[in-house]
């Protein structure tokens, strides 16, 4: 039951509906500490209507409100504090969790509507950056949240596999390329060429013209250019796939920028028909003055297309293919201007569905306070981060639980989980400085801490070795258990908030909170003592394992049974 709603209904009835339950519900708070009750209503908002002091209103109402379902209802100054009845509440919540299992918290917000998610989208011939990692794990978690709320996410890896940079790469390869080196270590070698190209082009600007000529050849389907490009692309994709496999992320589509190469003519045609293209210094632009945005450059003076030209074609393609309810782009906040332009141009084209396009931005990762840059060779290699994290996890397990059977597998889940969780636990817009020590820290508010809490609860259940049939009533009025029970009850609302805000951190913070509450409970109670509440305590432990595991799953993190 939704207790907030129930309280709002009761108050509305008690004041003869002079305020609606919705108005009241909007003001009901959850007090900071449990000694102030589970919900609190500030009586101020009734003072004008009832022409009385809030304190007096609070007292009158307490006398009037029916008490059942509550342990007590108290007036404290101008507040009314509601204490839920622990028996009733715990029985209801444990029943819900145990019968629904991993489906607890499932709800229908999406009516099966399609939601393409543009995510990860690294650039070929370059290492996958920390920014792409962020996009991958945030996008993946949003996809899981959408599924849980009955949307149909479509995960699209919009590979950066087209553009003038491939002219540069081909030119660089023609000058310094070595086939064996590329085969041996494709990404690092190609990156080296790319960085070297920029150093040389600073001295010799003619190189840029040569690069442009190669890209032109590529666009025109020249065989040599195409073969080199395809080779770079497939080597890159192999490398990306390895990382996705490590992270446990899968995609529904790899239609990247090159896929839209033959779909841009239509966009340009449409823009022309609608009289939106204007010439400016030989180039074709769309004026976006009335949106307070810079003009969108659609065609260069040499006829070359741009990033936004391809994104326009991709947006239209996605609309036609998926008839989407929303279309999401999980891309760093530095591209906010680009997505504003994209939406504005589509709006100008008369496409109202552009309102359903949403850029989901996220903050920057720096290193030592400095911006990372592939071009300057200042990169953190994701594969190293993952390997280091797994190694560290292995060492920890080796020290703590040397007899664990599947150590390597668990170390993988814990190490990779630590990296993912670290990325997701902060509000996505926060910038953060990357510090490997911090990422692989296992104590405090970390993924391994949540995983460890789950494993500990699993071990209690193993020790108890007792059936917890779902058709029985379990109730706990133990005050030590209350925080955990309340949090278990909050899970569905937490899922809703996370998906509505496209904010996986809501789930990560919740998981930490729940793990902490449970660890406190564990420290203060003898769960396995043989008394009449043992089954109920175990029912709560089991519910906890279900909800922690499901929270981690929504983040893309595994929950090993033992670690
Ligand atoms: N490849 C781009 C980059 O690395 C990100 C692409 C984002 N998606 C999009 N539809 N523009 O910066």
């Amino acid at each position: 039951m939704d207790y907030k709603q129930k309280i709002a209904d009761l108050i509305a009835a008690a004041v003869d509906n002079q305020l609606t339950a919705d108005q009241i519900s909007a003001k009901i708070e959850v007090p900071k500490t449990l000694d102030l009750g589970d919900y609190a209503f500030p009586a101020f908002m009734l003072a004008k209507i009832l022409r009385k002091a809030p304190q007096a209103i609070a007292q009158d109402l307490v006398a009037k409100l029916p008490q059942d379902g509550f342990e007590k209802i108290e007036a404290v100054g101008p507040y009314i504090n509601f204490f839920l009845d622990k028996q009733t509440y715990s029985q209801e919540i444990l029943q819900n969790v145990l019968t629904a299992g991993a489906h607890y918290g499932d709800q229908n917000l999406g009516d099966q509507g399609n939601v393409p998610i543009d995510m990860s989208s690294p650039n070929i011939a370059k290492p996958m950056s920390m920014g792409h990692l962020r996009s991958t794990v945030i996008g993946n978690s949003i996809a899981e949240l959408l599924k849980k709320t009955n949307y149909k996410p479509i995960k699209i890896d919009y590979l950066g596999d087209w553009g003038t940079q491939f002219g540069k790469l081909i030119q660089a390869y023609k000058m310094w390329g070595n086939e064996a080196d590329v085969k041996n270590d494709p990404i690092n070698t190609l990156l080296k060429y790319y960085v070297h190209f920029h150093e040389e082009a600073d001295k010799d600007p003619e190189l840029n013209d040569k690069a442009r000529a190669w890209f032109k050849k590529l666009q025109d389907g020249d065989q040599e250019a195409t073969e080199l490009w395809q080779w770079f692309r497939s080597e890159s994709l192999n490398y990306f796939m390895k990382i996705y496999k490590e992270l446990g992320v899968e995609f529904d589509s790899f239609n990247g920028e090159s896929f839209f190469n033959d779909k841009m003519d239509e966009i340009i045609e449409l823009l022309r028909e609608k009289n939106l293209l204007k010439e400016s210094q030989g180039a074709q632009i769309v004026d976006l003055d009335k949106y307070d945005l810079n003009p969108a450059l659609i065609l260069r003076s040499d006829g070359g297309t741009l990033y936004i030209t391809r994104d326009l074609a991709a947006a239209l393609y996605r609309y036609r293919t998926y008839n989407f309810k929303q279309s999401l782009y999980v891309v760093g906040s530095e591209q906010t201007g680009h997505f504003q332009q994209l939406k504005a141009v589509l709006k100008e084209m008369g496409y109202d569905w552009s309102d359903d396009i949403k850029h989901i931005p996220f903050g920057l990762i720096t290193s030592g306070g400095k911006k990372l840059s592939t071009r300057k060779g200042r990169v953190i290699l994701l594969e190293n981060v993952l390997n280091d994290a797994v190694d560290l996890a292995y060492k920890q397990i080796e020290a703590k639980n040397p007899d664990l059977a599947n150590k390597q597998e668990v170390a993988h889940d814990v190490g990779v989980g630590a990296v993912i969780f670290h990325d997701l636990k902060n509000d996505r817009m926060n910038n953060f400085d990357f510090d490997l020590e911090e990422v692989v820290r296992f104590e405090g508010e970390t993924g391994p801490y949540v995983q460890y809490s789950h494993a500990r609860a699993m071990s209690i259940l193993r020790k108890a070795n007792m059936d917890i049939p779902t058709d029985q009533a379990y109730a706990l009025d133990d005050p030590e258990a209350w925080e955990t029970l309340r949090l278990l009850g909050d899970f569905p609302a937490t899922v809703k908030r996370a998906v509505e805000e496209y904010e996986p951190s809501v789930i990560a913070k919740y998981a930490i909170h729940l793990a902490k509450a449970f660890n406190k409970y564990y420290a203060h109670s003898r769960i396995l003592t043989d008394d009449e509440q043992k089954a109920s305590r175990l029912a709560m432990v089991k519910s906890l394992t279900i909800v922690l595991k499901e929270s981690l799953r929504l983040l893309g993190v595994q929950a090993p049974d033992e670690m």
Side-chain angles (χ1 to χ4, degrees):
M1 186 197 289
D2 183 348
Y3 284 92
K4 194 172 170 187
Q5 189 60 44
K6 174 175 169 175
I7 292 168
D9 290 341
L10 291 175
I11 297 174
V15 299
D16 300 323
N17 292 306
Q18 295 183 74
L19 282 180
T20 65
D22 281 349
Q23 287 169 315
I24 292 166
S25 170
K27 295 285 176 195
I28 293 176
E29 301 166 9
V30 175
K32 290 253 161 359
T33 54
L34 287 173
D35 55 314
L36 293 173
D38 299 300
Y39 292 98
F41 174 72
F44 317 105
M45 69 181 300
L46 289 167
K48 252 208 187 127
I49 300 169
L50 301 178
R51 298 214 185 105
K52 256 197 211 169
Q55 283 87 337
I57 298 175
Q59 300 217 333
D60 289 356
L61 277 176
V62 167
K64 256 186 166 176
L65 292 167
Q67 305 273 329
D68 56 78
F70 296 100
E71 191 173 282
K72 58 182 176 189
I73 304 177
E74 253 176 17
V76 178
Y79 278 91
I80 306 176
N81 295 339
F82 294 82
F83 295 78
L84 301 180
D85 180 63
K86 295 187 172 59
Q87 291 274 349
T88 319
Y89 185 85
S90 59
Q91 186 175 324
E92 181 186 324
I93 295 302
L94 295 176
Q95 182 79 44
N96 289 349
V97 181
L98 293 174
T99 47
H103 288 294
Y104 178 60
D106 285 11
Q107 51 206 295
N108 178 26
L109 303 176
D111 286 322
Q112 289 284 307
N114 282 339
V115 183
I117 311 178
D118 187 307
M119 52 181 267
S120 194
S121 309
N123 302 318
I124 70 165
K126 285 190 194 174
M128 198 182 290
S129 73
M130 293 307 282
H132 297 121
L133 168 73
R134 296 215 73 188
S135 171
T136 309
V137 300
I138 295 171
N140 187 55
S141 175
I142 290 175
E144 291 304 332
L145 286 162
L146 287 168
K147 257 189 257 168
K148 196 162 178 71
T149 49
N150 203 29
Y151 289 91
K152 276 172 49 192
I154 297 134
K155 295 189 269 183
I156 303 174
D157 196 345
Y158 183 71
L159 296 172
D161 57 2
W162 205 249
T164 43
Q165 68 269 32
F166 298 104
K168 293 177 187 172
L169 193 60
I170 294 173
Q171 176 60 28
Y173 183 78
K174 296 294 286 181
M175 287 189 294
W176 317 296
N178 174 308
E179 190 175 338
D181 288 350
V182 176
K183 286 213 167 112
N184 190 30
D185 184 3
I187 299 298
N188 288 321
T189 309
L190 293 173
L191 176 65
K192 221 168 57 199
Y193 297 158
Y194 187 71
V195 172
H196 194 51
F197 180 90
H198 278 275
E199 287 163 2
E200 295 298 309
D202 282 346
K203 293 179 238 159
D204 175 8
E206 234 177 68
L207 281 184
N208 282 320
D209 297 331
K210 290 190 179 150
R212 252 192 298 277
W214 270 113
F215 182 55
K216 177 101 181 47
K217 279 192 186 179
L218 182 60
Q219 275 182 313
D220 296 342
D222 172 84
Q223 190 181 344
E224 185 183 9
T226 306
E227 274 171 10
L228 281 173
W229 171 80
Q230 265 166 353
W231 179 39
F232 299 154
R233 187 181 191 276
S234 74
E235 294 287 1
S236 302
L237 201 52
N238 282 344
Y239 151 84
F240 297 147
M241 293 309 276
K242 264 189 230 149
I243 294 181
Y244 296 142
K245 195 163 168 238
E246 289 284 293
L247 292 171
V249 174
E250 286 172 0
F251 290 87
D252 301 297
S253 161
F254 288 92
N255 287 342
E257 293 186 48
S258 69
F259 180 79
F260 297 96
N261 188 31
D262 62 359
K263 297 173 182 62
M264 283 180 284
D265 286 349
E266 184 192 357
I267 287 290
I268 290 163
E269 205 42 52
L270 285 165
L271 286 168
R272 258 205 195 106
E273 264 170 34
K274 296 175 202 251
N275 253 328
L276 292 169
L277 284 185
K278 262 205 206 157
E279 185 166 328
S280 165
Q281 299 168 347
Q284 299 290 323
I285 62 160
V286 175
D287 186 280
L288 298 174
D289 251 359
K290 74 168 176 217
Y291 299 85
D292 240 345
L293 296 171
N294 290 328
L297 181 54
I298 305 290
L299 283 178
R300 285 184 218 277
S301 51
D302 64 5
T305 57
L306 292 103
Y307 183 47
I308 196 165
T309 327
R310 288 183 281 286
D311 252 330
L312 285 165
L316 182 57
Y317 176 86
R318 285 176 198 171
Y319 179 70
R320 287 174 178 160
T321 311
Y322 304 115
N323 186 22
F324 53 68
K325 204 157 189 166
Q326 298 166 28
S327 181
L328 308 182
Y329 293 78
V330 184
V331 185
S333 55
E334 67 281 3
Q335 293 195 27
T336 299
H338 168 75
F339 287 103
Q340 285 171 337
Q341 289 183 319
L342 178 67
K343 288 184 63 157
V345 174
L346 291 166
K347 190 87 184 173
E348 281 298 275
M349 294 174 82
Y351 297 136
D352 280 336
W353 48 261
S354 63
D355 293 338
D356 303 320
I357 289 185
K358 292 198 174 95
H359 175 211
I360 313 292
F362 52 80
L364 207 66
I365 301 184
T366 51
S367 169
K370 280 201 186 129
K371 239 179 114 166
L372 300 161
S373 156
T374 346
R375 228 184 251 197
K376 302 209 173 96
R378 204 163 48 234
V379 285
I380 298 170
L381 290 179
L382 195 49
E383 51 275 36
N384 296 350
V385 172
L386 293 174
N387 286 340
D388 289 355
V390 172
D391 285 350
L392 236 105
Y394 191 86
K395 284 193 193 119
Q396 299 248 350
I397 294 166
E398 187 73 8
K400 278 194 186 148
N401 192 357
D403 298 331
L404 185 67
N406 47 348
K407 263 185 278 188
Q408 199 58 56
E409 193 185 317
V410 174
H412 180 271
D413 290 348
V414 174
V416 173
V419 176
I420 298 177
F421 196 94
H422 177 267
D423 199 305
L424 293 179
K425 77 173 179 192
N426 297 302
D427 297 2
R428 67 177 150 72
M429 279 306 285
N430 284 0
N431 298 335
F432 65 85
D433 202 67
F434 185 84
D435 173 359
L436 187 67
E437 300 269 307
E438 173 69 24
V439 174
V440 294
R441 204 163 52 86
F442 290 179
E443 301 86 35
E445 309 199 329
T446 65
Y449 171 77
V450 178
Q451 288 173 319
Y452 185 68
S453 308
H454 169 266
R456 167 189 267 176
M458 290 301 287
S459 103
I460 298 171
L461 295 176
R462 278 193 301 272
K463 242 187 236 148
N465 192 22
M466 202 169 124
D467 246 5
I468 316 285
T470 49
D471 57 358
Q472 242 157 43
Y474 303 100
L476 275 180
D477 52 14
D478 178 357
E480 303 290 355
W482 188 235
E483 197 183 359
T484 302
L485 287 164
R486 277 302 314 274
L487 283 166
L488 290 173
D490 281 347
F491 183 63
T494 306
V495 168
K496 179 160 189 260
R497 194 149 57 83
V499 77
E500 282 173 350
E501 296 172 10
Y502 307 104
E503 189 59 272
S505 69
V506 167
I507 299 291
K509 285 175 185 149
Y510 168 86
I512 296 266
H513 198 164
L514 181 58
K516 276 189 184 163
F518 174 70
N519 287 326
K520 242 190 284 165
Y521 171 72
Y522 176 83
H524 290 289
S525 343
R526 263 170 262 171
I527 299 172
L528 292 173
T529 307
D530 273 310
D531 60 19
E532 70 286 357
Q533 291 232 308
K534 182 177 175 189
S536 294
R537 286 191 300 268
L538 288 170
M540 185 178 88
V541 175
K542 183 157 184 203
S543 301
L544 171 99
T545 62
I546 291 171
V547 175
L548 274 187
K549 185 171 188 156
E550 183 61 4
S551 300
L552 289 172
R553 191 190 66 77
L554 288 170
L555 298 172
V557 176
Q558 301 289 324
D561 286 349
E562 224 180 315
M563 62 186 266

